[in-house]
Amino acid sequence: MITVDDDTLAMYIEESRDHLGDIEQDVLAIEQSGADIDENLVNKVFRAAHSIKGGAGFMGLTAIKELAHRLENVLGMIRSREMIPTPSIISTLLTGFDMLRELIENAKKSDEFDIERHLTALESLSTPKAASILDTQPPVEVHDPSGKPLFAVTKEEMNQGIKGGKYLYLLQFDLLHDFTADRTPFDLIKNISSGGDLLAVKVDTLAVGTLYDGISNILPFWILHSTILDSDFIGDVYQIPLERVYRLNYDKQAGKVISHFSLGEKLAQALVSASTLTAAATAEKKEQEVRQTKAEFPAEPLHDEAKIPSAGIEPRSIRTKPETSLRVHVSLLDNLMTLAGELVLSRNQLIQAKNARDNTIMDAVCQRIDLITSELQETIMLTRMQPIGNIFNKFPRVVRDLSRNLGKEVELLLEGSEVELDKTIIEGLNDPLTHLVRNSIDHGVEMPDQRRAAGKNPVGTLRLVAFHEAGQVNIEIIDDGAGIDPEKVLKTALKKGAVTEEQARLMTDQEKIGLIMLPGLSTAERVTEVSGRGVGMDVVKTNLDELGGAISIDSVKGAGTTIRIKLPLTLAIIPSQIVTSGGERFAIPQLNMNELLRIPAAQVKNRIERVGNADVVRLRGKLLPLVNLSDVLDIEKTFLDPETGARKSDRRERISDRRSHHSNLHLRDEAPEGAEEQQGASGSGQDDIRTDRRYRAASAINIVVVTTGPLSYGLVVDELNDAEEIVVKPLGRHLKQCSGYAGATIMGDGKVSLIIDVAGVSRMAQLASMERTERAAEVEREEASRYADNRHSLLTFHNTPDEQFAVPVELVLRIEKIRAEKIEELGGQRVIQYRGSSLPLFTISQVAKVKPLPEKEEYVVLVFSISGREIGLLAAGPVDATYVDLTVDMSTLKQPGISGSAIIDGATTMMVDIYDVIQILRPEWFKVQEAVKQSSGDRTKILLVEDSDFFRNQISGFLMRGGYQVETAVDGKEAWDMLSGNPNLADLIVTDIEMPRMDGFELVRKIKKDARLKELPIVAVTTRASDDDIRTGKEVGIDEYQIKLDQENLMEAISRAAKKARRA
Amino acid sequence: MIVIPEGDLVASTVPYFKEKLKEAVETGSKEVTVEMGNVRMIDSMGITVLIAAQNTLEKNSGKLKLLNVENEIYLMMKLMRLDKHMEIVPA
């Protein structure tokens, strides 16, 4: 029966939570030290159980009292070395403490729980034995924090002092300042004697000095006090600042004071007795270990546990209740208080300035308030920050239980536990992280025999690493297990129909592994107790998405898996894109946003299409489903009339509705989907149509490309506004069922804007990725396959209107228009003055048999940079940049300076080989390279792996001219087959990264794993130039990373690599 | 040497008392006695100065002796374990 008020109970629960906070780690640490008991640690746990018991007795919580009592008994035996903490005893203790925690969380109903099982299990461990005998032993020395001896107290006295849950305090008064006529030291001593036992008193007379030292400031007055008073009260009762109250940690068994700490600073102080110097060393070591907790768990046969009732591991819910209170460092609060004070001052100033209508003061005040607000924001944010160790620390237990259960051996390494994250994120991370860790142990780490057979350490390693990077927190879960087999994932995905065969063919290993994030895919061969409970990676991903996080998986079969999670530091204030739809402003979190897209009216026709009954946009070879925000939210679409600035209703039914080429009503039927008829029927007059904005530039479509989980889509909005940092306010209860919103925020003008929940909107639009993209995926695949293979950026130009030429855009430095009279002819060479020097000019017709450039008033000059020198190609316009699917015919029109031909925009186009042209015109420019060719003696053999015919020919062409012997392969797979068949095929590999069947990274990984090939230098030539790609490249072992296509740099890189190859 | 304070040993009287103690110590005498019969009250300053005198004497292996100490003061000094440092004789 509970007889106390709720406040007291709440305090008790709070305190008990604190006590239980570190219990798990401590118990595990006790297990680790085995027979070599760390008394300090056992004591700590013992005391926790003891305090909980004491409180429960006071509160009338019988069940909690009983359970805590039994736990205390067992711990007492461990402490007195009557019992060695074996793993099974530890398991019983752990489950006991779990139960205790649950009881405390449900304190009011705790007596209704059935804890009999735990009680008997604990009881059977602690068969009472003879109590330890107290013999006559030397007195216990008590020292002050600086190590000066203060008292010698008998052991008996000390033991009495800690009897019955009493605490030992060392109080430091100052005879000179703490006392007045109303409060003499004598009063204090009387006071203390009534509050508990006064064990010893000492005036540190030596601190006073002599008659010649002047009157000293402090006369330390030490009191050793034993009391049941909690540390919270001691300061008030004895009127002493907590900095001068030290709680002693007395070890009854060893008969010495192990440590004491000031309650004010809560810092473990230097230790007391000289004989405990070693203990100090241990404590220090322990602290280091906490930073990088290293726990190794021996696998124990499961049947051992049958002997002890309930010691087995039961599936345990790790879900914790969100905490309702938070501990904040006092200095932080002080800081906040100061800032609040500043704010009040500024407000007063503001009011004054307003009354005085003084703008200069007003400006200053505004600046001040701005400053204070930012600082206040940062400080308050700090109060929400919690170390990720709060979750990490659960894992030693999880890993221990799991690995024992599965008969595996796993070593857990925690790094970066001190990294801080917002409280909300920390709480939300719990489940996904637990799932990932479970996965790693269950599916990742192999059984000890398997590991031994694979030549690995039978003890697997699991690392949890947290670190800051670029304003985000990264968490990595790294195991050295079996890794994920991409083919296996793919097979499951195919079986479940999540991907099609064609899709699969084009997938890289990375993408295949990524499939496990799709709902319903689990690669576990059997459903174990641990994983495979129907909660898959998709849930993890969804959870992380909610936190604004991103997850990526990197796995090497046989070597392990690395899972990376990127998280924002906080969720309370987020950078957002503000958009307008239907005259209302909405905020879209930038975390969900990939890019902004504005499709000009003229391109709507080409870029936006209907697939099935949905609109899609073409974006770099992919089809992106579109969702109109106004439709989803059922608000009126609007646009701003560019002439009047008034907001008008937008009548377009579908995004793909567009104007026809001519703003002419007769051509109406050309418009698709009959949109215009509808409009006509609505009775709008012809005038209306003429002013219809579909004929104006204003009819451009604004798209926010967003990502949620596996799905990306385009959100069509009326207007794109600014990017702003917004403060997230939760929605009221009455709006909770609106799944399209994640919250609300208040804008600078005081109006409320809703925050779009990108995932919710996709659900509302029924943008289920599977069914919806079925058809889109098909179209996309066609696009993508062409795109991946042979799409190139080309620059087309002419000599005469009927002969079109093209060069790769990458090679062109600049395009200039020049007037004919600027061209000078000197010594048979045409030049122009260009940027302070003479730029030599040439025409294609100088080299190739093409029609000569007709005399014109104005020419176009394409400036190239070759061998560090610039040269201009004289041509006629129009110059056009196209991005085309290219099939180059390498034979029909081939001639000097022309590498082949292709059809571009319906015209046969000659591909200019600019290097060939220069070689013919200016052979001396290549002398240097020639020299290399001769010096290299026997020619270096290069294997060129490139899926694009065009680039393959280009690169192999200049490699051969550079004096190398070149073999080619069309993708990673072919290259690998060639190499594994003949390891001496090449001295050096030049490879593209993006290729079908097997990409460049994968090829390099394979090469590096093959003992015969791993020394081969590798040069990558790719358009993928992101930092991530370059890093991945370095990781897999690429020596030189070259961006397509700079011949100079590439040749240099190759010659560097070739030198390396020869040395090897 | 004997020093006899005429009244209470409190903050106001301590500086003078201190000078007298110094004089007593400087005579070279190993043992300095304070006749406490007139002292009804002693504050922290008073205690400090007595301890300082003891510390000074101790350096020359001397000793401070308090005579005729009023009961309550005696009990307090005992509680403070000052009797371990100097000889205290109650009234």
Side-chain angles (χ1 to χ4, degrees):
Chain A
M1 193 48 224
I2 298 159
T3 52
V4 289
D5 59 302
D6 279 1
D7 280 354
T8 318
L9 183 65
M11 257 168 70
Y12 167 70
I13 293 173
E14 183 75 8
E15 194 189 291
S16 302
R17 275 197 203 124
D18 275 359
H19 283 307
L20 289 172
D22 302 331
I23 287 267
E24 219 162 77
Q25 284 161 270
D26 294 340
V27 173
L28 290 173
I30 291 172
E31 176 181 28
Q32 281 230 284
S33 47
D36 179 25
I37 287 162
D38 178 350
E39 285 117 355
N40 198 2
L41 205 59
V42 181
N43 252 327
K44 190 178 157 211
V45 181
F46 179 88
R47 261 199 322 280
H50 182 83
S51 320
I52 290 171
K53 183 181 87 174
F58 176 60
M59 304 269 167
L61 303 165
T62 324
I64 295 178
K65 193 183 88 185
E66 278 300 305
L67 187 56
H69 176 67
R70 306 285 164 103
L71 286 165
E72 191 188 329
N73 280 350
V74 175
L75 286 160
M77 293 181 68
I78 294 174
R79 191 173 58 170
S80 61
R81 294 170 203 275
E82 289 167 66
M83 183 190 280
I84 289 166
T86 63
S88 26
I89 290 175
I90 294 292
S91 289
T92 314
L93 277 178
L94 283 174
T95 45
F97 273 115
D98 287 345
M99 190 68 220
L100 192 60
R101 186 173 291 133
E102 208 172 324
L103 290 180
I104 284 165
E105 291 300 333
N106 301 287
K108 283 195 174 170
K109 289 183 184 155
S110 60
D111 285 355
E112 294 163 25
F113 279 73
D114 177 19
I115 55 165
E116 205 43 48
R117 223 157 35 92
H118 295 277
L119 293 185
T120 41
L122 289 164
E123 192 63 54
S124 67
L125 292 178
S126 53
T127 33
K129 285 181 190 165
S132 54
I133 309 135
L134 274 173
D135 41 14
T136 45
Q137 271 165 332
V140 181
E141 273 198 272
V142 180
H143 300 236
D144 78 358
S146 65
K148 218 158 55 169
L150 286 175
F151 325 106
V153 187
T154 65
K155 232 181 159 180
E156 183 61 46
E157 247 181 312
M158 288 295 266
N159 289 348
Q160 285 297 323
I162 58 165
K163 235 183 186 171
K166 287 186 281 191
Y167 304 106
L168 278 177
Y169 293 103
L170 186 61
L171 311 172
Q172 185 197 1
F173 290 93
D174 175 8
L175 273 175
L176 288 183
H177 300 98
D178 290 345
F179 302 101
T180 58
D182 296 336
R183 184 173 182 249
T184 63
F186 195 55
D187 292 334
L188 172 75
I189 285 166
K190 276 196 283 195
N191 188 0
I192 284 181
S193 303
S194 66
D197 296 331
L198 188 78
L199 295 182
V201 179
K202 182 179 180 178
V203 178
D204 189 1
T205 51
L206 290 174
V208 170
T210 67
L211 287 171
Y212 301 98
D213 296 337
I215 306 263
S216 115
N217 270 331
I218 297 169
L219 176 52
F221 177 35
W222 297 94
I223 295 176
L224 183 61
H225 180 41
S226 147
T227 178
I228 48 160
L229 282 176
D230 205 331
S231 41
D232 292 345
F233 299 108
I234 206 120
D236 290 340
V237 172
Y238 299 136
Q239 295 173 40
I240 177 173
L242 285 177
E243 288 78 31
R244 292 200 255 131
V245 179
Y246 301 89
R247 195 146 103 196
L248 298 189
N249 196 346
Y250 172 65
D251 187 323
K252 196 170 164 182
Q253 212 55 43
K256 57 193 170 197
V257 175
I258 293 164
S259 67
H260 55 194
F261 52 89
S262 155
L263 294 179
E265 294 164 35
K266 282 269 179 195
L267 284 173
Q269 289 272 0
L271 307 182
V272 188
S273 152
S275 58
T276 53
L277 266 174
T278 44
T282 342
E284 206 173 310
K285 212 172 98 201
K286 235 194 77 206
E287 214 173 87
Q288 282 169 356
E289 272 171 5
V290 173
R291 247 172 271 136
Q292 180 175 331
T293 306
K294 181 178 166 176
E296 197 175 314
F297 301 111
E300 246 197 28
L302 280 170
H303 51 79
D304 251 19
E305 283 166 2
K307 290 178 201 157
I308 298 142
S310 103
I313 293 115
E314 44 200 289
R316 185 171 80 96
S317 140
I318 306 200
R319 183 176 292 277
T320 47
K321 279 189 196 162
E323 283 178 38
T324 48
S325 60
L326 190 64
R327 276 175 185 254
V328 177
H329 201 279
V330 180
S331 67
L332 206 57
L333 281 181
D334 289 346
N335 219 343
L336 276 177
M337 200 55 225
T338 318
L339 285 169
E342 292 273 308
L343 201 59
V344 170
L345 289 180
S346 305
R347 180 200 57 192
N348 297 347
Q349 248 182 317
L350 184 68
I351 292 169
Q352 270 178 17
K354 184 187 155 258
N355 290 342
R357 311 228 182 278
D358 185 336
N359 268 335
T360 40
I361 299 182
M362 194 77 114
D363 284 351
V365 176
C366 280
Q367 209 171 6
R368 206 174 139 97
I369 289 181
D370 180 36
L371 217 72
I372 295 170
T373 312
S374 316
E375 210 166 311
L376 207 57
Q377 179 193 334
E378 273 168 37
T379 316
I380 291 178
M381 211 69 91
L382 280 180
T383 64
R384 294 180 58 92
M385 297 306 256
Q386 298 207 305
I388 198 163
N390 287 2
I391 326 184
F392 273 15
N393 290 343
K394 289 185 182 132
F395 288 114
R397 168 75 186 279
V398 172
V399 171
R400 171 195 184 270
D401 284 2
L402 258 182
S403 48
R404 271 167 62 84
N405 207 0
L406 297 167
K408 293 178 180 178
E409 295 184 33
V410 181
E411 187 182 2
L412 177 67
L413 296 169
L414 300 179
E415 286 168 37
S417 295
E418 73 286 348
V419 170
E420 289 194 325
L421 273 170
D422 192 280
K423 192 172 145 288
T424 328
I425 300 180
I426 292 266
E427 277 158 13
L429 257 183
N430 193 35
D431 286 356
L433 266 190
T434 309
H435 186 87
L436 291 173
V437 167
R438 282 182 159 159
N439 264 352
S440 287
I441 296 174
D442 194 17
H443 308 318
V445 177
E446 314 91 324
M447 301 297 283
D449 325 348
Q450 276 170 292
R451 292 184 64 89
R452 230 170 266 127
K456 293 185 186 178
N457 183 344
V459 181
T461 310
L462 180 66
R463 285 172 61 211
L464 281 178
V465 184
F467 58 95
H468 284 284
E469 193 186 66
Q472 286 193 311
V473 169
N474 289 19
I475 300 172
E476 296 185 343
I477 299 132
I478 306 161
D479 69 55
D480 65 345
I484 300 170
D485 183 350
E487 299 308 322
K488 210 157 109 189
V489 180
L490 184 65
K491 235 166 73 189
T492 323
L494 284 171
K495 212 160 65 196
K496 301 240 164 122
V499 286
T500 60
E501 297 272 356
E502 297 98 290
Q503 275 174 316
R505 206 168 37 82
L506 288 167
M507 278 183 164
T508 63
D509 282 357
Q510 189 86 26
E511 283 168 333
K512 288 175 192 165
I513 290 170
L515 288 173
I516 64 171
M517 311 255 206
L518 290 178
L521 286 189
S522 171
T523 55
E525 271 159 20
R526 69 218 144 82
V527 171
T528 60
E529 188 202 323
V530 196
S531 350
R533 287 178 187 155
V535 191
M537 289 295 286
D538 57 317
V539 177
V540 170
K541 190 157 170 46
T542 316
N543 284 348
L544 290 174
D545 278 344
E546 277 170 19
L547 298 175
I551 183 169
S552 70
I553 303 179
D554 205 355
S555 183
V556 179
K557 202 185 159 193
T561 306
T562 299
I563 297 169
R564 275 190 199 90
I565 299 172
K566 277 180 194 262
L567 289 165
L569 289 172
T570 182
L571 295 177
I573 296 180
I574 53 172
S576 299
Q577 172 68 39
I578 310 297
V579 300
T580 307
S581 256
E584 279 182 58
R585 276 175 301 175
F586 298 93
I588 300 175
Q590 285 190 356
L591 281 162
N592 295 110
M593 208 174 80
N594 290 354
E595 60 187 302
L596 298 175
L597 207 59
R598 183 179 164 91
I599 307 216
Q603 281 184 24
V604 168
K605 174 172 175 277
N606 295 322
R607 300 285 295 275
I608 299 194
E609 266 170 58
R610 281 189 84 73
V611 175
N613 56 354
D615 291 304
V616 292
V617 61
R618 278 174 198 270
L619 181 61
R620 289 187 292 275
K622 291 208 167 179
L623 290 183
L624 204 64
L626 286 180
V627 174
N628 200 321
L629 188 60
S630 317
D631 289 346
V632 173
L633 304 178
D634 204 14
I635 51 178
E636 199 189 9
K637 276 172 273 196
T638 60
F639 68 97
L640 282 179
D641 190 300
E643 274 160 26
T644 64
R647 194 168 288 285
K648 289 189 176 172
S649 152
D650 182 347
R651 284 179 302 273
R652 286 178 297 178
E653 285 287 300
R654 299 196 178 90
I655 306 156
S656 50
D657 287 0
R658 59 214 172 206
R659 61 170 184 167
S660 53
H661 281 300
H662 317 278
S663 51
N664 187 328
L665 273 179
H666 301 298
L667 292 171
R668 251 198 302 181
D669 2 4
E670 274 187 5
E673 322 291 348
E676 305 229 344
E677 270 83 356
Q678 209 173 3
Q679 187 197 20
S682 74
S684 348
Q686 203 164 338
D687 288 353
D688 195 26
I689 289 163
R690 210 172 292 132
T691 58
D692 192 290
R693 77 176 185 102
R694 275 175 294 178
Y695 309 121
R696 298 171 182 280
S699 64
I701 293 180
N702 297 312
I703 301 172
V704 183
V705 180
V706 291
T707 304
T708 162
L711 181 70
S712 285
Y713 65 91
L715 201 57
V716 180
V717 298
D718 294 351
E719 278 173 61
L720 299 170
N721 307 54
D722 291 338
E724 271 180 40
E725 271 202 343
I726 58 162
V727 178
V728 181
K729 308 256 178 210
L731 284 177
R733 211 179 315 138
H734 49 294
L735 289 171
K736 269 285 181 304
Q737 72 275 20
C738 301
S739 63
Y741 307 116
T745 188
I746 298 169
M747 307 298 294
D749 59 4
K751 287 188 184 154
V752 172
S753 289
L754 290 161
I755 302 167
I756 300 289
D757 176 357
V758 169
V761 166
S762 78
R763 273 196 299 278
M764 286 168 77
Q766 285 163 346
L767 219 77
S769 57
M770 298 313 272
E771 46 165 19
R772 159 67 196 263
T773 53
E774 190 60 32
R775 224 189 99 80
E778 221 169 280
V779 184
E780 194 174 295
R781 224 171 17 253
E782 288 166 24
E783 283 259 317
S785 65
R786 289 191 317 190
Y787 175 76
D789 283 344
N790 272 321
R791 304 243 335 158
H792 300 291
S793 292
L794 293 174
L795 206 62
T796 56
F797 58 95
H798 300 82
N799 267 1
T800 56
D802 53 333
E803 263 184 350
Q804 182 167 274
F805 300 95
V807 289
V809 166
E810 296 91 351
L811 298 177
V812 180
L813 212 56
R814 282 181 295 275
I815 303 167
E816 303 279 349
K817 262 190 187 151
I818 55 161
R819 302 198 57 80
E821 62 263 27
K822 295 257 181 184
I823 300 174
E824 303 165 48
E825 192 152 348
L826 301 163
Q829 170 68 54
R830 273 185 285 187
V831 294
I832 51 164
Q833 286 177 19
Y834 180 71
R835 298 191 174 202
S837 66
S838 295
L839 180 74
L841 296 175
F842 71 99
T843 59
I844 307 267
S845 52
Q846 278 176 268
V847 181
K849 290 192 189 82
V850 296
K851 289 179 194 154
L853 190 63
E855 293 285 327
K856 297 179 79 166
E857 279 187 10
E858 199 178 64
Y859 296 100
V860 171
V861 176
L862 308 180
V863 184
F864 300 92
S865 168
I866 306 289
S867 293
R869 278 173 267 204
E870 288 183 359
I871 188 161
L873 171 59
L874 214 50
V879 173
D880 198 5
T882 54
Y883 194 54
V884 289
D885 172 14
L886 197 64
T887 320
V888 183
D889 178 344
M890 295 292 177
S891 54
T892 316
L893 294 174
K894 177 143 175 66
Q895 56 165 311
I898 303 291
S899 61
S901 60
I903 312 291
I904 295 171
D905 290 341
T908 303
T909 307
M910 283 180 272
M911 310 296 295
V912 177
D913 183 343
I914 196 74
Y915 291 101
D916 202 21
V917 171
I918 305 298
Q919 186 124 41
I920 295 164
L921 287 174
R922 294 293 172 92
E924 72 276 10
W925 286 14
F926 290 95
K927 278 236 172 84
V928 189
Q929 286 172 24
E930 290 288 327
V932 174
K933 193 196 291 189
Q934 271 139 26
S935 72
S936 49
D938 55 337
R939 301 205 296 168
T940 308
K941 289 175 286 181
I942 295 179
L943 175 60
L944 173 66
V945 193
E946 168 65 68
D947 60 322
S948 146
D949 292 339
F950 174 71
F951 277 122
R952 195 170 56 246
N953 280 304
Q954 282 271 317
I955 299 172
S956 81
F958 63 66
L959 284 181
M960 281 194 262
R961 279 198 297 279
Y964 297 102
Q965 190 179 324
V966 182
E967 294 282 343
T968 58
V970 296
D971 59 28
K973 184 88 176 56
E974 187 181 323
W976 175 246
D977 292 343
M978 286 163 73
L979 280 170
S980 50
N982 174 14
N984 297 322
L985 180 76
D987 306 314
L988 160 65
I989 312 280
V990 176
T991 181
D992 187 16
I993 297 297
E994 254 169 86
M995 291 181 290
R997 296 208 293 171
M998 183 192 290
D999 71 11
F1001 291 143
E1002 187 60 29
L1003 172 67
V1004 177
R1005 275 194 199 106
K1006 277 186 178 308
I1007 290 173
K1008 290 294 168 192
K1009 258 190 269 170
D1010 191 307
R1012 302 169 300 172
L1013 302 169
K1014 66 171 184 232
E1015 297 297 333
L1016 278 179
I1018 292 161
V1019 179
V1021 188
T1022 176
T1023 46
R1024 275 169 59 165
S1026 79
D1027 289 350
D1028 264 358
D1029 289 324
I1030 293 174
R1031 193 164 55 229
T1032 312
K1034 284 261 182 305
E1035 268 167 31
V1036 298
I1038 288 169
D1039 298 283
E1040 300 271 356
Y1041 205 96
Q1042 287 292 318
I1043 308 305
K1044 267 179 193 167
L1045 181 68
D1046 182 327
Q1047 192 192 344
E1048 300 296 317
N1049 285 343
L1050 180 61
M1051 285 306 280
E1052 273 172 36
I1054 287 174
S1055 100
R1056 272 198 301 275
K1059 273 183 202 137
K1060 191 178 156 191
R1062 274 194 298 275
R1063 269 203 306 277
Chain B
M1 281 301 289
I2 302 183
V3 181
I4 310 172
E6 285 166 4
D8 296 344
L9 290 179
V10 291
S12 55
T13 58
V14 160
Y16 180 73
F17 180 54
K18 188 181 167 191
E19 288 311 309
K20 290 293 149 196
L21 281 175
K22 259 193 202 168
E23 284 169 23
V25 172
E26 277 157 13
T27 59
S29 167
K30 290 255 173 199
E31 191 177 289
V32 173
T33 306
V34 181
E35 216 296 323
M36 299 277 284
N38 297 325
V39 179
R40 294 280 146 241
M41 201 175 150
I42 183 165
D43 70 358
S44 47
M45 296 284 270
I47 293 175
T48 313
V49 83
L50 289 175
I51 296 165
Q54 164 63 24
N55 287 347
T56 316
L57 286 162
E58 211 173 276
K59 286 198 169 163
N60 305 311
S61 21
K63 208 175 172 198
L64 185 73
K65 192 173 175 179
L66 304 182
L67 281 183
N68 241 338
V69 181
E70 194 264 337
N71 192 42
E72 206 155 0
I73 298 177
Y74 172 72
L75 285 177
M76 183 182 74
M77 289 186 144
K78 223 173 133 64
L79 263 169
M80 290 179 177
R81 303 288 204 262
L82 286 180
D83 54 345
K84 300 269 158 79
H85 299 279
M86 49 189 94
E87 196 183 333
I88 306 174
V89 182

